[in-house]
């Protein structure tokens, strides 16, 4: 399935203090636009969520010293890696999915709710927006 016709999302894990995503852009999109759009949208949603929940004191911890933004939620240069083979993609997917296990949040990757592990381990597509990496690599 194509997410908003911009990317194929192969896998994800949302951790308490960071996220892992594996995706591939669709042909018609400029590569640099996709991460920028994602980071801007999610930062706005985090900010709006904190305001709606009355967590303005916590929101102040994210106040930016830069002139171009009021708050800063994401690192300036997030880590990015190219998946040039199925073997590398499989290793990265496994690494992502075992993050919650290593953090003590679950016993098995497929037990963690905010992850694509069930999609790969149990063939359960609870999200409806994932594409298997083997379909494209």
């Amino acid at each position: 399935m194509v997410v908003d016709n911009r990317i194929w999302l192969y896998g994800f894990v949302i951790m308490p203090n960071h996220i892992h995503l594996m995706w591939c852009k669709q042909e018609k999109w400029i590569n640099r636009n996709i991460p920028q759009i994602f980071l801007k949208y999610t930062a706005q949603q985090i900010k709006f969520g904190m305001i709606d929940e009355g967590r303005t004191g916590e929101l102040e911890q994210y106040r930016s010293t830069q002139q171009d933004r009021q708050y800063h939620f994401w690192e300036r240069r997030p880590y990015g890696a190219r998946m040039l083979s199925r073997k590398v993609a499989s290793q990265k997917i496994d690494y992502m999915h075992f993050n919650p296990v290593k953090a003590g949040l679950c016993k098995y990757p497929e037990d963690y709710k905010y992850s694509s592990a069930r999609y790969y381990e149990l063939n359960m597509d609870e999200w409806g927006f994932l594409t298997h990496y083997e379909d494209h690599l």
Side-chain angles (χ1 to χ4, degrees):
M1 177 176 201
V2 177
V3 178
D4 194 22
N5 295 320
R6 295 178 195 206
I7 67 168
W8 285 295
L9 182 61
Y10 300 136
F12 71 93
V13 174
I14 302 171
M15 298 291 288
N17 62 350
H18 67 281
I19 63 172
H20 295 270
L21 299 170
M22 184 185 293
W23 58 273
C24 178
K25 77 172 185 73
Q26 297 292 305
E27 291 300 319
K28 65 182 178 179
W29 293 94
I30 299 171
N31 204 22
R32 71 177 184 276
N33 287 352
I34 296 168
Q36 179 184 21
I37 291 166
F38 173 80
L39 294 173
K40 182 177 179 179
Y41 176 79
T42 54
Q44 288 175 338
Q45 295 307 304
I46 292 167
K47 179 180 78 173
F48 295 150
M50 293 175 95
I51 291 169
D52 290 347
E53 295 168 8
R55 295 166 46 200
T56 53
E58 185 180 347
L59 180 61
E60 286 304 310
Q61 295 175 19
Y62 298 96
R63 185 157 302 274
S64 177
T65 57
Q66 300 166 338
Q67 299 298 318
D68 64 339
R69 68 194 73 221
Q70 203 173 7
Y71 301 99
H72 193 101
F73 295 97
W74 298 114
E75 288 184 17
R76 274 283 180 207
R77 291 172 188 84
Y79 174 74
R82 297 187 133 241
M83 303 300 120
L84 300 175
S85 71
R86 287 183 178 182
K87 182 180 178 183
V88 172
S90 178
Q91 290 170 344
K92 297 299 182 187
I93 286 281
D94 286 347
Y95 172 82
M96 287 175 14
H97 288 158
F98 273 92
N99 239 238
V101 175
K102 290 177 188 173
L105 299 172
C106 60
K107 187 172 181 179
Y108 303 104
E110 59 270 21
D111 294 340
Y112 192 63
K113 181 179 180 179
Y114 305 105
S115 166
S116 56
R118 282 190 201 105
Y119 178 75
Y120 286 94
E121 295 298 319
L122 305 174
N123 202 26
M124 294 175 59
D125 188 2
E126 301 168 302
W127 303 100
F129 52 72
L130 293 166
T131 299
H132 202 291
Y133 67 89
E134 288 183 350
D135 293 345
H136 295 111
L137 291 177

PDB file of all heavy atoms in Angstrom, residues 17-19 35 38-44 46 62 69 71-78:
ATOM      1  N   ASN A  17      11.264   7.633  23.414  1.00  0.00           N
ATOM      2  CA  ASN A  17      12.065   8.827  23.162  1.00  0.00           C
ATOM      3  C   ASN A  17      12.661   8.907  21.756  1.00  0.00           C
ATOM      4  O   ASN A  17      13.483   9.770  21.485  1.00  0.00           O
ATOM      5  CB  ASN A  17      13.183   8.945  24.203  1.00  0.00           C
ATOM      6  CG  ASN A  17      14.146   7.768  24.128  1.00  0.00           C
ATOM      7  OD1 ASN A  17      13.906   6.777  23.446  1.00  0.00           O
ATOM      8  ND2 ASN A  17      15.249   7.883  24.838  1.00  0.00           N
ATOM      9  N   HIS A  18      12.270   7.997  20.868  1.00  0.00           N
ATOM     10  CA  HIS A  18      12.730   8.065  19.477  1.00  0.00           C
ATOM     11  C   HIS A  18      11.886   7.135  18.612  1.00  0.00           C
ATOM     12  O   HIS A  18      11.087   6.361  19.138  1.00  0.00           O
ATOM     13  CB  HIS A  18      14.223   7.703  19.366  1.00  0.00           C
ATOM     14  CG  HIS A  18      14.545   6.285  19.679  1.00  0.00           C
ATOM     15  ND1 HIS A  18      14.643   5.804  20.975  1.00  0.00           N
ATOM     16  CD2 HIS A  18      14.803   5.227  18.878  1.00  0.00           C
ATOM     17  CE1 HIS A  18      14.950   4.527  20.951  1.00  0.00           C
ATOM     18  NE2 HIS A  18      15.045   4.131  19.683  1.00  0.00           N
ATOM     19  N   ILE A  19      12.072   7.250  17.317  1.00  0.00           N
ATOM     20  CA  ILE A  19      11.360   6.366  16.398  1.00  0.00           C
ATOM     21  C   ILE A  19      12.334   5.785  15.380  1.00  0.00           C
ATOM     22  O   ILE A  19      13.394   6.354  15.124  1.00  0.00           O
ATOM     23  CB  ILE A  19      10.207   7.075  15.656  1.00  0.00           C
ATOM     24  CG1 ILE A  19      10.734   8.205  14.763  1.00  0.00           C
ATOM     25  CG2 ILE A  19       9.161   7.582  16.608  1.00  0.00           C
ATOM     26  CD1 ILE A  19       9.679   8.804  13.862  1.00  0.00           C
ATOM     27  N   PRO A  35      11.295  13.707   4.210  1.00  0.00           N
ATOM     28  CA  PRO A  35      11.652  13.837   5.630  1.00  0.00           C
ATOM     29  C   PRO A  35      11.253  15.199   6.207  1.00  0.00           C
ATOM     30  O   PRO A  35      10.778  15.280   7.341  1.00  0.00           O
ATOM     31  CB  PRO A  35      13.176  13.662   5.644  1.00  0.00           C
ATOM     32  CG  PRO A  35      13.482  12.913   4.399  1.00  0.00           C
ATOM     33  CD  PRO A  35      12.459  13.360   3.390  1.00  0.00           C
ATOM     34  N   PHE A  38       7.524  15.191   6.886  1.00  0.00           N
ATOM     35  CA  PHE A  38       7.256  14.317   8.027  1.00  0.00           C
ATOM     36  C   PHE A  38       7.636  14.996   9.342  1.00  0.00           C
ATOM     37  O   PHE A  38       6.851  15.013  10.296  1.00  0.00           O
ATOM     38  CB  PHE A  38       8.002  12.992   7.873  1.00  0.00           C
ATOM     39  CG  PHE A  38       7.910  12.121   9.093  1.00  0.00           C
ATOM     40  CD1 PHE A  38       6.775  11.361   9.330  1.00  0.00           C
ATOM     41  CD2 PHE A  38       8.953  12.070  10.012  1.00  0.00           C
ATOM     42  CE1 PHE A  38       6.685  10.570  10.462  1.00  0.00           C
ATOM     43  CE2 PHE A  38       8.862  11.280  11.137  1.00  0.00           C
ATOM     44  CZ  PHE A  38       7.726  10.525  11.368  1.00  0.00           C
ATOM     45  N   LEU A  39       8.840  15.531   9.411  1.00  0.00           N
ATOM     46  CA  LEU A  39       9.312  16.152  10.649  1.00  0.00           C
ATOM     47  C   LEU A  39       8.462  17.357  11.032  1.00  0.00           C
ATOM     48  O   LEU A  39       8.110  17.538  12.209  1.00  0.00           O
ATOM     49  CB  LEU A  39      10.779  16.548  10.515  1.00  0.00           C
ATOM     50  CG  LEU A  39      11.753  15.377  10.371  1.00  0.00           C
ATOM     51  CD1 LEU A  39      13.158  15.902  10.073  1.00  0.00           C
ATOM     52  CD2 LEU A  39      11.742  14.489  11.590  1.00  0.00           C
ATOM     53  N   LYS A  40       8.104  18.172  10.064  1.00  0.00           N
ATOM     54  CA  LYS A  40       7.273  19.348  10.348  1.00  0.00           C
ATOM     55  C   LYS A  40       5.894  18.931  10.838  1.00  0.00           C
ATOM     56  O   LYS A  40       5.399  19.445  11.844  1.00  0.00           O
ATOM     57  CB  LYS A  40       7.150  20.224   9.105  1.00  0.00           C
ATOM     58  CG  LYS A  40       6.338  21.471   9.342  1.00  0.00           C
ATOM     59  CD  LYS A  40       6.286  22.354   8.121  1.00  0.00           C
ATOM     60  CE  LYS A  40       5.448  23.592   8.389  1.00  0.00           C
ATOM     61  NZ  LYS A  40       5.398  24.487   7.237  1.00  0.00           N
ATOM     62  N   TYR A  41       5.264  18.002  10.141  1.00  0.00           N
ATOM     63  CA  TYR A  41       3.919  17.564  10.510  1.00  0.00           C
ATOM     64  C   TYR A  41       3.913  16.938  11.904  1.00  0.00           C
ATOM     65  O   TYR A  41       3.066  17.272  12.740  1.00  0.00           O
ATOM     66  CB  TYR A  41       3.381  16.570   9.480  1.00  0.00           C
ATOM     67  CG  TYR A  41       2.046  16.005   9.866  1.00  0.00           C
ATOM     68  CD1 TYR A  41       0.882  16.743   9.669  1.00  0.00           C
ATOM     69  CD2 TYR A  41       1.938  14.754  10.463  1.00  0.00           C
ATOM     70  CE1 TYR A  41      -0.356  16.235  10.045  1.00  0.00           C
ATOM     71  CE2 TYR A  41       0.718  14.234  10.842  1.00  0.00           C
ATOM     72  CZ  TYR A  41      -0.421  14.983  10.632  1.00  0.00           C
ATOM     73  OH  TYR A  41      -1.639  14.474  11.010  1.00  0.00           O
ATOM     74  N   THR A  42       4.838  16.019  12.167  1.00  0.00           N
ATOM     75  CA  THR A  42       4.835  15.349  13.465  1.00  0.00           C
ATOM     76  C   THR A  42       5.178  16.313  14.600  1.00  0.00           C
ATOM     77  O   THR A  42       4.598  16.219  15.683  1.00  0.00           O
ATOM     78  CB  THR A  42       5.788  14.137  13.484  1.00  0.00           C
ATOM     79  OG1 THR A  42       7.087  14.555  13.060  1.00  0.00           O
ATOM     80  CG2 THR A  42       5.275  13.025  12.579  1.00  0.00           C
ATOM     81  N   ALA A  43       6.075  17.250  14.359  1.00  0.00           N
ATOM     82  CA  ALA A  43       6.387  18.255  15.392  1.00  0.00           C
ATOM     83  C   ALA A  43       5.148  19.084  15.722  1.00  0.00           C
ATOM     84  O   ALA A  43       4.867  19.355  16.898  1.00  0.00           O
ATOM     85  CB  ALA A  43       7.532  19.150  14.937  1.00  0.00           C
ATOM     86  N   GLN A  44       4.408  19.472  14.698  1.00  0.00           N
ATOM     87  CA  GLN A  44       3.181  20.238  14.943  1.00  0.00           C
ATOM     88  C   GLN A  44       2.166  19.411  15.738  1.00  0.00           C
ATOM     89  O   GLN A  44       1.531  19.921  16.648  1.00  0.00           O
ATOM     90  CB  GLN A  44       2.558  20.686  13.622  1.00  0.00           C
ATOM     91  CG  GLN A  44       3.321  21.783  12.941  1.00  0.00           C
ATOM     92  CD  GLN A  44       2.750  22.120  11.572  1.00  0.00           C
ATOM     93  OE1 GLN A  44       2.068  21.323  10.938  1.00  0.00           O
ATOM     94  NE2 GLN A  44       3.025  23.322  11.099  1.00  0.00           N
ATOM     95  N   ILE A  46       2.795  16.915  17.805  1.00  0.00           N
ATOM     96  CA  ILE A  46       3.281  16.791  19.179  1.00  0.00           C
ATOM     97  C   ILE A  46       2.961  18.067  19.955  1.00  0.00           C
ATOM     98  O   ILE A  46       2.438  18.020  21.068  1.00  0.00           O
ATOM     99  CB  ILE A  46       4.802  16.502  19.204  1.00  0.00           C
ATOM    100  CG1 ILE A  46       5.074  15.098  18.649  1.00  0.00           C
ATOM    101  CG2 ILE A  46       5.366  16.655  20.620  1.00  0.00           C
ATOM    102  CD1 ILE A  46       6.536  14.836  18.340  1.00  0.00           C
ATOM    103  N   TYR A  62      10.959  22.157  25.204  1.00  0.00           N
ATOM    104  CA  TYR A  62      11.295  22.049  23.784  1.00  0.00           C
ATOM    105  C   TYR A  62      11.410  23.413  23.102  1.00  0.00           C
ATOM    106  O   TYR A  62      11.538  23.484  21.894  1.00  0.00           O
ATOM    107  CB  TYR A  62      10.246  21.194  23.059  1.00  0.00           C
ATOM    108  CG  TYR A  62      10.213  19.789  23.589  1.00  0.00           C
ATOM    109  CD1 TYR A  62       9.291  19.419  24.565  1.00  0.00           C
ATOM    110  CD2 TYR A  62      11.119  18.842  23.147  1.00  0.00           C
ATOM    111  CE1 TYR A  62       9.266  18.135  25.074  1.00  0.00           C
ATOM    112  CE2 TYR A  62      11.109  17.548  23.646  1.00  0.00           C
ATOM    113  CZ  TYR A  62      10.177  17.208  24.606  1.00  0.00           C
ATOM    114  OH  TYR A  62      10.159  15.929  25.108  1.00  0.00           O
ATOM    115  N   ARG A  69      11.850  28.874  14.400  1.00  0.00           N
ATOM    116  CA  ARG A  69      10.845  28.007  15.016  1.00  0.00           C
ATOM    117  C   ARG A  69      10.688  28.343  16.488  1.00  0.00           C
ATOM    118  O   ARG A  69      11.602  28.852  17.120  1.00  0.00           O
ATOM    119  CB  ARG A  69      11.221  26.538  14.843  1.00  0.00           C
ATOM    120  CG  ARG A  69      12.445  26.133  15.629  1.00  0.00           C
ATOM    121  CD  ARG A  69      13.023  24.809  15.210  1.00  0.00           C
ATOM    122  NE  ARG A  69      13.669  25.006  13.928  1.00  0.00           N
ATOM    123  CZ  ARG A  69      13.619  24.160  12.923  1.00  0.00           C
ATOM    124  NH1 ARG A  69      12.973  23.051  13.047  1.00  0.00           N
ATOM    125  NH2 ARG A  69      14.224  24.412  11.800  1.00  0.00           N
ATOM    126  N   TYR A  71       9.509  25.890  18.760  1.00  0.00           N
ATOM    127  CA  TYR A  71       9.883  24.692  19.502  1.00  0.00           C
ATOM    128  C   TYR A  71      10.723  23.793  18.613  1.00  0.00           C
ATOM    129  O   TYR A  71      10.657  23.862  17.390  1.00  0.00           O
ATOM    130  CB  TYR A  71       8.636  23.934  19.983  1.00  0.00           C
ATOM    131  CG  TYR A  71       7.765  24.784  20.873  1.00  0.00           C
ATOM    132  CD1 TYR A  71       6.646  25.426  20.372  1.00  0.00           C
ATOM    133  CD2 TYR A  71       8.081  24.959  22.215  1.00  0.00           C
ATOM    134  CE1 TYR A  71       5.857  26.219  21.181  1.00  0.00           C
ATOM    135  CE2 TYR A  71       7.300  25.747  23.039  1.00  0.00           C
ATOM    136  CZ  TYR A  71       6.183  26.381  22.506  1.00  0.00           C
ATOM    137  OH  TYR A  71       5.422  27.166  23.310  1.00  0.00           O
ATOM    138  N   HIS A  72      11.493  22.906  19.245  1.00  0.00           N
ATOM    139  CA  HIS A  72      12.361  22.001  18.495  1.00  0.00           C
ATOM    140  C   HIS A  72      12.224  20.598  19.096  1.00  0.00           C
ATOM    141  O   HIS A  72      12.621  20.371  20.231  1.00  0.00           O
ATOM    142  CB  HIS A  72      13.812  22.479  18.595  1.00  0.00           C
ATOM    143  CG  HIS A  72      14.721  21.809  17.635  1.00  0.00           C
ATOM    144  ND1 HIS A  72      15.123  22.407  16.480  1.00  0.00           N
ATOM    145  CD2 HIS A  72      15.289  20.585  17.649  1.00  0.00           C
ATOM    146  CE1 HIS A  72      15.917  21.586  15.817  1.00  0.00           C
ATOM    147  NE2 HIS A  72      16.022  20.469  16.513  1.00  0.00           N
ATOM    148  N   PHE A  73      11.657  19.665  18.309  1.00  0.00           N
ATOM    149  CA  PHE A  73      11.411  18.312  18.798  1.00  0.00           C
ATOM    150  C   PHE A  73      12.367  17.266  18.238  1.00  0.00           C
ATOM    151  O   PHE A  73      12.605  16.254  18.872  1.00  0.00           O
ATOM    152  CB  PHE A  73       9.981  17.875  18.463  1.00  0.00           C
ATOM    153  CG  PHE A  73       8.945  18.682  19.177  1.00  0.00           C
ATOM    154  CD1 PHE A  73       8.323  19.751  18.552  1.00  0.00           C
ATOM    155  CD2 PHE A  73       8.596  18.391  20.485  1.00  0.00           C
ATOM    156  CE1 PHE A  73       7.374  20.501  19.214  1.00  0.00           C
ATOM    157  CE2 PHE A  73       7.652  19.132  21.156  1.00  0.00           C
ATOM    158  CZ  PHE A  73       7.032  20.197  20.520  1.00  0.00           C
ATOM    159  N   TRP A  74      12.860  17.479  17.041  1.00  0.00           N
ATOM    160  CA  TRP A  74      13.656  16.454  16.358  1.00  0.00           C
ATOM    161  C   TRP A  74      15.112  16.866  16.267  1.00  0.00           C
ATOM    162  O   TRP A  74      15.435  18.049  16.227  1.00  0.00           O
ATOM    163  CB  TRP A  74      13.130  16.214  14.944  1.00  0.00           C
ATOM    164  CG  TRP A  74      11.722  15.713  14.926  1.00  0.00           C
ATOM    165  CD1 TRP A  74      10.629  16.369  14.441  1.00  0.00           C
ATOM    166  CD2 TRP A  74      11.233  14.457  15.407  1.00  0.00           C
ATOM    167  NE1 TRP A  74       9.507  15.599  14.593  1.00  0.00           N
ATOM    168  CE2 TRP A  74       9.847  14.421  15.179  1.00  0.00           C
ATOM    169  CE3 TRP A  74      11.845  13.358  16.008  1.00  0.00           C
ATOM    170  CZ2 TRP A  74       9.067  13.327  15.530  1.00  0.00           C
ATOM    171  CZ3 TRP A  74      11.064  12.270  16.365  1.00  0.00           C
ATOM    172  CH2 TRP A  74       9.697  12.268  16.117  1.00  0.00           C
ATOM    173  N   GLU A  75      15.993  15.876  16.188  1.00  0.00           N
ATOM    174  CA  GLU A  75      17.411  16.157  15.972  1.00  0.00           C
ATOM    175  C   GLU A  75      17.582  16.815  14.608  1.00  0.00           C
ATOM    176  O   GLU A  75      16.844  16.548  13.674  1.00  0.00           O
ATOM    177  CB  GLU A  75      18.226  14.863  16.001  1.00  0.00           C
ATOM    178  CG  GLU A  75      18.353  14.259  17.371  1.00  0.00           C
ATOM    179  CD  GLU A  75      19.245  13.043  17.367  1.00  0.00           C
ATOM    180  OE1 GLU A  75      20.006  12.846  16.397  1.00  0.00           O
ATOM    181  OE2 GLU A  75      19.180  12.281  18.339  1.00  0.00           O
ATOM    182  N   ARG A  76      18.596  17.628  14.486  1.00  0.00           N
ATOM    183  CA  ARG A  76      18.869  18.329  13.223  1.00  0.00           C
ATOM    184  C   ARG A  76      19.179  17.376  12.080  1.00  0.00           C
ATOM    185  O   ARG A  76      18.728  17.535  10.984  1.00  0.00           O
ATOM    186  CB  ARG A  76      20.046  19.292  13.389  1.00  0.00           C
ATOM    187  CG  ARG A  76      19.648  20.628  13.906  1.00  0.00           C
ATOM    188  CD  ARG A  76      19.023  21.407  12.782  1.00  0.00           C
ATOM    189  NE  ARG A  76      18.646  22.702  13.275  1.00  0.00           N
ATOM    190  CZ  ARG A  76      17.668  23.406  12.762  1.00  0.00           C
ATOM    191  NH1 ARG A  76      16.969  22.966  11.769  1.00  0.00           N
ATOM    192  NH2 ARG A  76      17.378  24.573  13.247  1.00  0.00           N
ATOM    193  N   ARG A  77      19.993  16.395  12.339  1.00  0.00           N
ATOM    194  CA  ARG A  77      20.412  15.467  11.278  1.00  0.00           C
ATOM    195  C   ARG A  77      20.113  14.033  11.706  1.00  0.00           C
ATOM    196  O   ARG A  77      20.991  13.346  12.216  1.00  0.00           O
ATOM    197  CB  ARG A  77      21.905  15.640  10.992  1.00  0.00           C
ATOM    198  CG  ARG A  77      22.202  16.974  10.346  1.00  0.00           C
ATOM    199  CD  ARG A  77      23.707  17.196  10.250  1.00  0.00           C
ATOM    200  NE  ARG A  77      23.982  18.540   9.818  1.00  0.00           N
ATOM    201  CZ  ARG A  77      24.042  19.608  10.594  1.00  0.00           C
ATOM    202  NH1 ARG A  77      23.838  19.487  11.881  1.00  0.00           N
ATOM    203  NH2 ARG A  77      24.310  20.795  10.103  1.00  0.00           N
ATOM    204  N   PRO A  78      18.876  13.590  11.498  1.00  0.00           N
ATOM    205  CA  PRO A  78      18.569  12.216  11.897  1.00  0.00           C
ATOM    206  C   PRO A  78      19.374  11.213  11.085  1.00  0.00           C
ATOM    207  O   PRO A  78      19.777  11.486   9.953  1.00  0.00           O
ATOM    208  CB  PRO A  78      17.070  12.078  11.610  1.00  0.00           C
ATOM    209  CG  PRO A  78      16.747  13.169  10.655  1.00  0.00           C
ATOM    210  CD  PRO A  78      17.753  14.270  10.878  1.00  0.00           C
TER     211      PRO A  78
END
